[in-house]
Structure formats: structure tokens, C-alpha cells
Amino acid sequence: MRIPLAQLPANGTHIVESDGRRVLLCRSPKGVHAMAEMCPHQKLSLDGGRVRGDFIMCPHHGARFNLEDGRSLSPLTTNRLTLYPVRIDGDMIEVDC
């Protein structure tokens, strides 16, 4: 899937859909990241989660996850985020999911 980089605000999130799959994109100071939209803690959307440094915080329960490898940084869960490969091609974001 491809979307314009301009649709993804700095330190923000944006949901895209491809073949019925919802993917959450987020932009941190370290780059653009793509993951399954649902938090692995209680299966609620991560959309609107706070992006700080190299982690995202679930807007519902505060669980934190590392954006580089998906591991939980919270005692709420040991489940990991499902991450997808991302490339930037000019002004477009390309996600393999």
C-alpha cells in the first residue's frame, strides 16, 4: 500500500486500510512505523495513541510498545505489536502488509 507522507503528522497516527486489513501508521522522530491497528493488550484501536520517542502509548489503557521491535514496555501485557516493513519513496509511504 502507498499513501502520501503528508497525510501522517509528526508524532501522530493515521489508519489506512488495504484488502480489509486496518494498519496504523505513526511517525516518530526515528521515522515512520506501521503496525496492526489493534493494541495486543485488549484489542482496542491504537489510533490516537501518543507517540513519544521510540514508543507508542495505547490511548485506552496506557500500555506502551516499542516502535522498533514491537515489544511491550508495560506490565499490562507481554504481547507484542505486529509490525510491518515500511519504506519512504520520495513523498510516499510504502507498507508491506
Side-chain angles (χ1 to χ4, degrees):
M1 93 179 47
R2 288 173 53 94
I3 71 157
L5 185 59
Q7 287 186 5
L8 185 59
N11 295 313
T13 62
H14 181 77
I15 292 180
V16 294
E17 197 164 328
S18 176
D19 297 327
R21 179 181 299 169
R22 291 169 57 91
V23 174
L24 182 76
L25 299 176
C26 67
R27 192 177 197 175
S28 76
K30 293 188 175 188
V32 175
H33 311 274
M35 65 209 68
E37 175 210 4
M38 295 298 181
C39 175
H41 171 229
Q42 289 195 349
K43 306 299 182 217
L44 296 170
S45 179
L46 286 167
D47 191 29
R50 291 188 300 179
V51 178
R52 299 288 184 265
D54 62 354
F55 71 87
I56 185 168
M57 182 181 297
C58 176
H60 303 283
H61 299 101
R64 295 182 331 152
F65 300 92
N66 184 288
L67 292 169
E68 298 295 318
D69 60 14
R71 68 186 156 85
S72 173
L73 302 172
S74 170
L76 296 173
T77 184
T78 58
N79 296 336
R80 300 171 82 89
L81 290 175
T82 300
L83 301 179
Y84 303 111
V86 176
R87 287 179 306 286
I88 305 300
D89 181 21
D91 63 349
M92 298 296 287
I93 302 168
E94 295 180 349
V95 180
D96 291 333
C97 57

